[in-house]
Amino acid sequence: MTMITISNPMVAAAAALGVNSYAVTDRELTTRFREAVERRNLAPFRLGHFCFEVQLPAIAAINVSRHFSGQTSTWVGGEASKPLFTGFHRRGKEGDLYHADSTDFERRADMVSGFGDELFTELTAAGVNPTEARQVQPMSTGTTLIASGTFVDFYELLRSVGPVEANAHPDARAFARNCWTHIQSACAPLVQVFEEVGP
């Protein structure tokens, strides 16, 4: 996963609150951020922007796009995605998928996925527009997702798909948590305030 800080959210938020972030201590900065969040004044925290690029299965990219209030862009990548059922969890629990009646769902999913990829190749070889032909590819097809948004956008994404209990794709959940980890290393005082107070 690649992260680009387009504009530093801590510096931008401090400036919007009338504070020079380079002239005050982290403690004073955290206090000012906490006061703003407690007053539900989130406008200063919508000034800094992050951009993340990651490879996900198409279904996970759709899941992220549905819950993310920032901007997203996707395109089908050349890398193969993980097998369809590897790492899937039962709703609300971490663990392996239970194979009822010893049916090999993974083998069947790989077979169906292979049919979609073969049909896509045949359609494009026959001259069909690749964008239209992608409709036959499975939802596990590797997709590049670019998500660009503010600190608040990524905080809301974490709250929407981050918890284990949420009806979220495991890869979408991992993406939200990884984004937040990267943001935490870049903006520790701001993350601390949002995790303690929460809008």
Side-chain angles (χ1 to χ4, degrees):
M1 179 163 70
T2 306
M3 178 185 98
I4 299 171
T5 304
I6 298 172
S7 56
N8 190 321
M10 287 197 0
V11 174
L17 294 170
V19 178
N20 180 351
S21 61
Y22 300 109
V24 296
T25 63
D26 277 352
R27 184 176 177 159
E28 187 177 341
L29 199 57
T30 302
T31 303
R32 293 297 297 269
F33 290 157
R34 181 174 281 110
E35 290 169 358
V37 173
E38 286 173 349
R39 290 190 319 262
R40 302 294 185 242
N41 178 16
L42 299 183
F45 309 110
R46 295 187 187 277
L47 299 175
H49 283 263
F50 294 100
C51 185
F52 291 90
E53 179 181 342
V54 68
Q55 277 282 125
L56 295 172
I59 188 67
I62 290 168
N63 198 207
V64 168
S65 297
R66 203 175 97 226
H67 292 283
F68 188 61
S69 54
Q71 294 181 333
T72 58
S73 177
T74 60
W75 68 88
V76 175
E79 296 180 26
S81 58
K82 296 185 293 187
L84 203 56
F85 281 101
T86 298
F88 267 52
H89 309 111
R90 287 189 165 277
R91 180 176 173 184
K93 297 179 182 175
E94 298 288 340
D96 298 325
L97 177 71
Y98 175 67
H99 292 223
D101 302 323
S102 300
T103 305
D104 190 358
F105 288 116
E106 292 174 13
R107 188 172 47 101
R108 288 175 54 202
D110 284 342
M111 183 178 68
V112 171
S113 178
F115 289 150
D117 289 337
E118 287 174 23
L119 183 55
F120 172 78
T121 304
E122 290 175 21
L123 286 168
T124 53
V128 175
N129 181 334
T131 304
E132 293 177 75
R134 278 194 183 88
Q135 295 179 52
V136 300
Q137 287 186 313
M139 295 303 281
S140 63
T141 302
T143 304
T144 300
L145 170 74
I146 296 178
S148 175
T150 67
F151 179 89
V152 176
D153 293 335
F154 284 102
Y155 176 73
E156 290 172 352
L157 176 68
L158 178 72
R159 288 181 48 192
S160 298
V161 301
V164 173
E165 298 78 27
N167 277 337
H169 191 280
D171 290 333
R173 180 181 303 127
F175 172 72
R177 289 178 177 173
N178 288 341
C179 289
W180 194 247
T181 300
H182 284 11
I183 291 170
Q184 191 170 26
S185 66
C187 308
L190 193 51
V191 168
Q192 177 187 350
V193 168
F194 269 72
E195 288 178 348
E196 289 174 4
V197 180

